[in-house]
Amino acid sequence: MIYTYEDSVKLFGTKYYLKKAVKDGQIYQQEKGIYSDKKYVPALAIIAQKYPNAVFTMNSAFYYYNLTDRIPEKYYLATDRNAAKIPDKRVVQIFERSDLLQLGVVSMDREGCSINIYSKERLLVELIRHKSKVPFDLYKEVLLNFRDIIYDMDIQAVQEYAYEVPKSSMILQTLQLEVL
């Protein structure tokens, strides 16, 4: 289990007892402000705990849904447009409008932790929406994999998401030409 600093202090009573527990090996400090009852914790779990309001998107989400076999070098997180910049070098932060951030968010169990991630339907819209920012070969690979699963997806949800985000007409046109 992963704990924040505040949770860890509550668990052990005081800051002094927390430091003593770390020294005695009862709890492990993974990085500043993040503690765990296990010695080794996946980086994904730490990132999910550190940024609970962020949503995994783009390259990270493509990989987690097996739409690509490329392991992303960084974690791609969508945050509120007004959120502070994430200083973590392991994270690529994508700022999203407040009204769109939670649109299509689902929970996924990955590497023993629960993460917030966009649904496949929302990811398809994000792929097309950010087409110019994605390397061409990755775009084609993910798009071809979406074509293979398109009939298992909720097309109406894809269209609803497309109408909500900017560039709606371009997204819908690209859906017709390249996916369906």
Side-chain angles (χ1 to χ4, degrees):
M1 176 111 184
I2 297 180
Y3 306 97
T4 62
Y5 176 73
E6 293 79 18
D7 293 339
S8 301
V9 170
K10 285 179 188 174
L11 187 64
F12 289 96
T14 65
K15 294 176 187 178
Y16 170 79
Y17 287 123
L18 174 59
K19 285 182 183 179
K20 191 171 182 330
V22 169
K23 187 177 178 182
D24 295 341
Q26 294 176 322
I27 193 166
Y28 302 93
Q29 184 173 9
Q30 299 299 325
E31 55 185 60
K32 187 177 181 188
I34 303 292
Y35 296 82
S36 174
D37 52 6
K38 295 178 184 171
K39 192 168 187 171
Y40 300 104
V41 175
L44 176 66
I46 293 170
I47 295 291
Q49 180 69 31
K50 277 181 88 169
Y51 311 109
N53 298 326
V55 181
F56 285 85
T57 187
M58 298 302 290
N59 299 27
S60 297
F62 298 148
Y63 178 71
Y64 297 148
Y65 279 119
N66 295 317
L67 295 168
T68 182
D69 56 1
R70 293 184 196 182
I71 301 171
E73 294 177 11
K74 297 187 178 202
Y75 296 95
Y76 286 72
L77 298 177
T79 61
D80 189 287
R81 179 178 280 167
N82 300 319
K85 174 121 176 62
I86 295 175
D88 197 323
K89 293 183 187 310
R90 301 171 292 181
V91 173
V92 173
Q93 186 175 11
I94 299 169
F95 293 97
E96 186 65 82
R97 285 188 354 213
S98 302
D99 60 325
L100 298 177
L101 182 62
Q102 294 300 317
L103 188 69
V105 173
V106 296
S107 185
M108 173 190 273
D109 288 328
R110 184 83 186 185
E111 296 181 29
C113 70
S114 180
I115 62 171
N116 293 327
I117 189 168
Y118 284 128
S119 66
K120 288 180 184 177
E121 290 80 7
R122 171 71 190 264
L123 268 181
L124 178 56
V125 171
E126 291 301 301
L127 174 68
I128 296 169
R129 184 175 163 207
H130 298 290
K131 180 179 183 177
S132 63
K133 297 176 185 171
V134 177
F136 183 73
D137 54 335
L138 178 62
Y139 175 80
K140 281 299 189 189
E141 177 187 1
V142 172
L143 194 68
L144 287 172
N145 286 324
F146 267 121
R147 283 184 190 164
D148 291 342
I149 62 168
I150 196 69
Y151 296 109
D152 298 331
M153 294 172 57
D154 183 354
I155 300 300
Q156 186 166 351
V158 173
Q159 291 174 334
E160 288 172 10
Y161 296 147
Y163 281 117
E164 293 290 326
V165 299
K167 305 179 188 176
S168 295
S169 58
M170 182 276 293
I171 293 169
L172 291 169
Q173 183 179 7
T174 304
L175 274 170
Q176 285 295 327
L177 294 174
E178 296 184 18
V179 182
L180 301 176

